Amino acid sequence: MQLLKLVSSQIKLGAPLPFNVRDEHGHLLLAAAQVIHSERMLEALLARGIHADVEEIKRSEERRVG
């Protein structure tokens, strides 16, 4: 699994996550389809350093585009 550090623009508040969110060691923090409801929660996660698997990100982008 190759992890990519996430930035705020990759996560939409109030919308289901399109991929699993992990810590820097690959441990699952939030499963895909979970919803981040508040800016405060998103900021806390970003401060912790959240990541996602590159392949999951690619698949979510493919579903979004096509």
Side-chain angles (χ1 to χ4, degrees), residues 10-66:
Q10 292 172 291
I11 298 174
K12 256 184 147 171
L13 288 179
L17 289 168
F19 40 71
N20 293 315
V21 173
R22 301 177 179 278
D23 67 11
E24 68 272 10
H25 303 291
H27 298 116
L28 185 65
L29 299 175
L30 294 169
Q34 295 290 316
V35 177
I36 297 175
H37 293 284
S38 71
E39 186 71 34
R40 186 175 180 188
M41 182 179 179
L42 177 57
E43 288 174 7
L45 288 166
L46 291 169
R48 182 176 182 168
I50 54 175
H51 298 73
D53 180 52
V54 171
E55 290 302 317
E56 288 183 27
I57 293 171
K58 285 180 186 177
R59 284 193 298 272
S60 72
E61 290 172 354
E62 288 170 358
R63 284 190 303 262
R64 187 175 50 93
V65 172

